[in-house]
Amino acid sequence: MYQFKDDVSFAKNLDQQDPLAPFQKRFFKVENEIYMDGNSLGMASKDAQESLLTSLEDWKKEGIKIWNTKDGLYFNISRLIAKKTAPLLNADAQEIIATGTITANIHQVLATFYHPTKERYKIVVDELNFASDIYAVQSLIELKNLDPKDALITVKSRDSRTIATQDIIDAMREDVAIVWLPSVLYRSAQLLDMQTITETAHQRGILVGWDLAHSMGAIPHDFKAIDADFAVWCNYKYINGGPGASGGLYINKKHFGKKAGLRGWFGNKDATQFQLNHTFDQDIDANGWLIGTPNIFSLTPLLGALQIFEEAGIHQIRQKSLHITAYLMYLIDHKLKPFGYTVGNPREDQFRGGHVSLEHEEAYRISIALRDLHVIPDFREPNVIRLAPIALYNTYEEVYRVVEILQTIIVDKLYEQYSINRGTVV
């Protein structure tokens, strides 16, 4: 499908033709450093900085009056971010809120939708999901006085990298209440067949929720077609909202009117919110799932960050992401295989997310060597170096240079300088 050449001039030519190239100037790229970790924490943009600093200046000037300034910008910030986020999901803005953290939002949706009965009380997860998701699911099961060993169905991987759609479907038994899965597996970058899984679950009377942490901002979703019941995501990876940026939450409008599992005063209707009644008057749409006062300095960078997505367009971003990651895989195949490197993610466009899962038996020490050579990847146990050439700010030439450096690390045995003992953040 893709035609590539193993030549740096070819990479430079691709950069000259890249329609997204102008957006690179909007990000704070560090000189002489190649950032390949946007799947874990996106780079800071000038747009996000401006939005954050503006909110700080407004606080300095207005104090408590900030809530009413600029036509209620800060009071209604979750709604404004929802409008900017909606095109990425092809969902209604009223179905989206920006709030909390991804794990807290998992607790919120499960507290809302997990009401086990004698007949239906089990939750389906996969064994390759991020640990925090599993902790949250186990916690909710225990809060219902059930045993996760009984109430949790874990779909096994056949190859320790991916999860087969049929295996997920086979787990959807009559006693299942909820299917909870990631859209993209964080280690192998596998993109699950969200529509088939959701449709099959619904045919069997099962609710479906998705963790979009590793797809939001990298992959265009169509939630009008997928028709998931709920979803959560973080905004600090591909969205570039900043470290610990407030997360996102989706509630399908068919569930409007359902009581929020976790309630707080910002989920109350605006008209009665400040009456401070002790009877919760839940808002009519996804805003009813808000809990506390919005974290302004964790939300305002998103106004700027999402402005870039409005201008670039998520479909154009996905097109380049697929192309530049395919180019990386091509170079791995042609230049790195003799040195023990392999690609551990699916190859087909429709089954992979926004990063490449590079495997090597010395992956940990190689990842540390990369950092000392001014390439920023991340490492995931047991043998994965995740490399994410981001469509908005990475270049094809950077990808070529990274592959050259990966080759040098093995040829010159640079990795041997490092300890095998794991650090905390790698």
Side-chain angles (χ1 to χ4, degrees):
M1 179 179 178
Y2 300 110
Q3 299 296 320
F4 299 120
K5 295 180 181 179
D6 178 7
D7 186 287
V8 70
S9 62
F10 179 79
K12 292 179 178 179
N13 185 56
L14 289 176
D15 287 327
Q16 291 175 355
Q17 300 176 40
D18 179 12
L20 295 179
F23 289 99
Q24 294 169 29
K25 297 179 181 179
R26 306 262 287 266
F27 288 86
F28 291 101
K29 298 187 71 170
V30 178
E31 189 175 0
N32 298 321
E33 179 180 276
I34 302 177
Y35 194 77
M36 286 279 157
D37 203 12
N39 60 307
S40 188
L41 177 63
M43 294 192 78
S45 68
K46 297 173 184 178
D47 302 67
Q49 175 186 253
E50 181 179 356
S51 296
L52 175 59
L53 293 180
T54 297
S55 66
L56 182 59
E57 289 299 316
D58 287 341
W59 176 38
K60 287 161 61 177
K61 178 182 177 182
E62 302 290 348
I64 189 64
K65 295 182 294 180
I66 191 174
W67 295 112
N68 294 318
T69 193
K70 297 183 176 179
D71 296 322
L73 166 66
Y74 299 108
F75 187 82
N76 295 301
I77 193 167
S78 180
R79 291 182 172 93
L80 295 174
I81 293 172
K83 290 179 181 178
K84 291 178 174 290
T85 303
L88 305 183
L89 289 177
N90 190 30
D92 295 340
Q94 293 76 19
E95 296 176 301
I96 298 168
I97 57 171
T99 186
T101 66
I102 188 168
T103 305
N105 289 340
I106 295 172
H107 281 276
Q108 171 65 295
V109 293
L110 291 179
T112 298
F113 291 97
Y114 183 51
H115 298 289
T117 65
K118 184 178 180 180
E119 292 75 25
R120 286 190 184 272
Y121 65 96
K122 294 186 178 181
I123 299 177
V124 171
V125 297
D126 69 282
E127 73 167 339
L128 301 181
N129 204 339
F130 194 69
S132 196
D133 289 56
I134 305 304
Y135 302 156
V137 172
Q138 291 171 339
S139 172
L140 266 294
I141 288 172
E142 290 172 356
L143 285 171
K144 298 294 184 178
N145 295 316
L146 297 172
D147 185 351
K149 292 180 181 179
D150 175 40
L152 196 62
I153 299 175
T154 302
V155 180
K156 302 297 182 181
S157 170
R158 301 180 185 183
D159 59 7
S160 299
R161 293 189 180 99
T162 60
I163 299 293
T165 299
Q166 189 57 52
D167 291 347
I168 296 170
I169 291 172
D170 290 345
M172 298 179 189
R173 302 193 293 259
E174 292 182 355
D175 54 1
V176 172
I178 289 175
V179 170
W180 176 254
L181 297 167
S183 54
V184 171
L185 300 186
Y186 78 95
R187 186 182 290 111
S188 71
Q190 180 194 7
L191 172 61
L192 299 187
D193 187 345
M194 298 173 66
Q195 189 156 349
T196 296
I197 291 168
T198 304
E199 287 178 353
T200 305
H202 285 170
Q203 291 167 4
R204 301 182 183 189
I206 300 169
L207 297 174
V208 183
W210 292 97
D211 178 343
L212 310 179
H214 289 275
S215 62
M216 197 63 167
I219 298 170
H221 289 297
D222 186 354
F223 266 52
K224 292 187 184 300
I226 295 170
D227 196 34
D229 295 286
F230 49 92
V232 303
W233 58 92
C234 54
N235 283 309
Y236 48 78
K237 299 182 188 297
Y238 296 99
I239 298 294
N240 312 307
S246 292
L249 191 155
Y250 162 88
I251 302 290
N252 192 308
K253 60 186 175 184
K254 66 186 176 184
H255 295 299
F256 289 175
K258 192 175 186 67
K259 289 184 178 181
L262 305 178
R263 301 163 202 166
W265 81 307
F266 246 80
N268 200 94
K269 291 178 181 176
D270 290 353
T272 58
Q273 180 177 3
F274 283 87
Q275 293 178 12
L276 302 179
N277 297 319
H278 284 196
T279 300
F280 185 56
D281 188 12
Q282 186 169 324
D283 212 339
I284 60 174
D285 54 21
N287 283 281
W289 277 263
L290 289 169
I291 299 177
T293 306
N295 299 305
I296 296 303
F297 298 144
S298 292
L299 286 166
T300 50
L302 290 171
L303 295 175
L306 288 166
Q307 178 62 35
I308 294 177
F309 282 84
E310 287 184 2
E311 296 176 30
I314 186 61
H315 293 281
Q316 187 166 231
I317 289 171
R318 175 61 168 167
Q319 183 177 2
K320 179 184 173 182
S321 175
L322 286 172
H323 192 260
I324 198 169
T325 50
Y327 177 58
L328 173 55
M329 290 188 290
Y330 164 85
L331 292 176
I332 293 168
D333 290 340
H334 284 74
K335 297 174 76 69
L336 297 182
K337 270 194 172 182
F339 304 100
Y341 293 102
T342 58
V343 172
N345 53 269
R347 300 285 186 139
E348 303 89 347
D349 285 358
Q350 68 270 31
F351 296 127
R352 61 187 178 90
H355 70 271
V356 170
S357 177
L358 180 64
E359 297 182 355
H360 195 283
E361 63 179 3
E362 288 288 352
Y364 176 74
R365 292 200 286 178
I366 292 170
S367 69
I368 301 301
L370 281 170
R371 290 187 178 224
D372 282 349
L373 293 170
H374 310 293
V375 176
I376 310 301
D378 71 4
F379 166 78
R380 288 294 177 265
E381 293 284 0
N383 64 339
V384 174
I385 303 167
R386 298 193 305 182
L387 298 172
I390 301 299
L392 288 170
Y393 51 77
N394 283 122
T395 70
Y396 290 87
E397 185 177 358
E398 287 176 331
V399 168
Y400 191 88
R401 299 301 183 195
V402 167
V403 170
E404 286 188 320
I405 293 169
L406 284 163
Q407 180 176 320
T408 299
I409 289 172
I410 298 300
V411 171
D412 294 346
K413 298 184 179 180
L414 300 180
Y415 65 92
E416 293 183 352
Q417 303 173 19
Y418 302 92
S419 170
I420 61 173
N421 295 324
R422 305 312 200 223
T424 53
V425 180
V426 291

